[in-house]
Amino acid sequence: MDSAPTGISKDLPVGDISYTGFSIASIKIQDGTVEELENILVQKIDNSFGIFNNASVVLNVEDLGNLNTFDFFTLQELCKQHGIFLIGVTGVVNEDRADALTRRRIPVINSTRYSRIREANLKPKIVTQFIEVKVPVPVPKPYEVPVPYEVKVPTPVKIIRRNVRSGETITGQNSSVVIYGSVGAHARIMASHHIFIFGKVFGADLFAGAPMDDNDPGITESTIHIQGSFDLGLVAIAGNYRTAEDLENDPLLDQIRSKNKGVVISLEDNNLKYLCAQAD
């Protein structure tokens, strides 16, 4: 006998959880006081001619000292008075700072760059100490010191001669990545230098000039070259990124995409620039 409650379907739909590109403005603060944020909102939000009406924002607390006294909820109410919604904080790069926020139920919404830094800080660090001990040792004369005759260096280019599957990750640490093939949806291509794709891109995430750690700003001279048609999920150079939503609403990129001749993406003054890969 079926014991399911009357009026409730046994086949309830299962929600789908996925990563979707969102454009969320970030407000960088240093003191974390009501006065500081009020001054920023008056100058940047109130005088924006309604551009930020009912927009969602996050506070960048990267430069904020003590997070234990950070009054997030008072600042959240202040934002409502200026017609915007404060939904969380970003710029959290280690677990101690994250715990100081989450235990008070303050949402941490890190960007991709800060998530990578936080993940790197979780890795164990080995501290090595060298102690010099001087011991009288007879040294024959002449004394010869053998030196290595061959020094191996990392290959500057990682070459992939096939299509990259959906969801696959290709990493080029200390090198560029060249792909002779197409790149599937939700794949991730990460390179410390340049990315060259001689094929099509179907909703993949591309990271060029990727920072190695929190002390590395990344290589701002890096470029992303796509020879075929493209549909990008997320694109970033040296931590400066655009989401899929940003790219879909960019009229210049839409014009380049319509020509079906690929694109070259570079970084200029912390802004991504786009050029057609093949001259008309």
Side-chain angles (χ1 to χ4, degrees):
M1 180 176 179
D2 193 344
S3 58
T6 304
I8 300 179
S9 172
K10 294 182 293 180
D11 299 322
L12 293 175
V14 179
D16 182 30
I17 299 178
S18 61
Y19 290 97
T20 306
F22 289 102
S23 296
I24 303 176
S26 174
I27 302 175
K28 195 164 189 177
I29 57 177
Q30 294 182 335
D31 301 328
T33 62
V34 172
E35 293 77 11
E36 179 192 28
L37 184 58
E38 174 77 23
N39 185 49
I40 295 172
L41 297 179
V42 168
Q43 294 186 40
K44 303 296 185 179
I45 301 298
D46 295 351
N47 294 325
S48 63
F49 302 100
I51 294 176
F52 293 98
N53 281 353
N54 298 320
S56 297
V57 300
V58 294
L59 293 182
N60 187 331
V61 296
E62 182 180 10
D63 296 333
L64 198 60
N66 187 3
L67 292 181
N68 291 301
T69 58
F70 175 54
D71 193 350
F72 172 82
F73 298 102
T74 298
L75 300 183
Q76 193 175 49
E77 289 300 319
L78 177 62
C79 287
K80 289 181 182 179
Q81 296 173 19
H82 289 266
I84 58 176
F85 296 97
L86 177 58
I87 62 174
V89 299
T90 187
V92 182
V93 296
N94 60 52
E95 295 309 298
D96 290 339
R97 290 176 67 81
D99 290 343
L101 295 168
T102 55
R103 67 169 173 260
R104 292 193 289 135
R105 300 194 179 278
I106 300 174
V108 176
I109 309 175
N110 269 343
S111 66
T112 303
R113 171 173 176 264
Y114 291 120
S115 294
R116 286 201 304 268
I117 295 174
R118 181 177 171 185
E119 183 178 353
N121 286 334
L122 279 174
K123 297 179 181 178
K125 295 178 175 58
I126 300 175
V127 179
T128 304
Q129 184 177 8
F130 295 92
I131 301 176
E132 182 180 358
V133 179
K134 295 183 179 180
V135 179
V137 177
V139 178
K141 297 180 180 181
Y143 183 71
E144 295 183 357
V145 179
V147 296
Y149 63 90
E150 180 182 0
V151 178
K152 294 183 178 180
V153 298
T155 303
V157 178
K158 183 174 185 178
I159 299 177
I160 308 296
R161 293 184 174 88
R162 59 175 175 81
N163 292 334
V164 178
R165 300 184 302 275
S166 296
E168 185 178 358
T169 297
I170 301 294
T171 303
Q173 194 170 25
N174 292 323
S175 68
S176 298
V177 172
V178 177
I179 299 173
Y180 290 98
S182 296
V183 182
H186 306 299
R188 294 166 63 89
I189 311 299
M190 303 179 66
S192 299
H193 294 73
H194 310 287
I195 296 176
F196 300 92
I197 300 174
F198 296 95
K200 300 178 181 179
V201 176
F202 303 96
D205 297 341
L206 307 180
F207 303 84
M212 300 294 294
D213 52 45
D214 52 347
N215 296 318
D216 179 18
I219 300 177
T220 57
E221 293 80 12
S222 299
T223 59
I224 297 174
H225 182 116
I226 303 171
Q227 190 68 21
S229 59
F230 60 91
D231 178 20
L232 301 170
L234 183 145
V235 61
I237 297 179
N240 298 272
Y241 71 94
R242 295 292 182 272
T243 64
E245 185 178 1
D246 296 329
L247 298 171
E248 288 176 3
N249 295 327
D250 192 313
L252 176 58
L253 191 59
D254 194 49
Q255 293 175 14
I256 295 175
R257 186 186 288 109
S258 66
K259 295 179 181 179
N260 199 26
K261 293 183 178 181
V263 66
V264 177
I265 306 173
S266 59
L267 189 65
E268 181 179 326
D269 297 329
N270 294 327
N271 292 312
L272 295 179
K273 300 295 182 182
Y274 316 102
L275 292 174
C276 192
Q278 304 174 49
D280 292 330

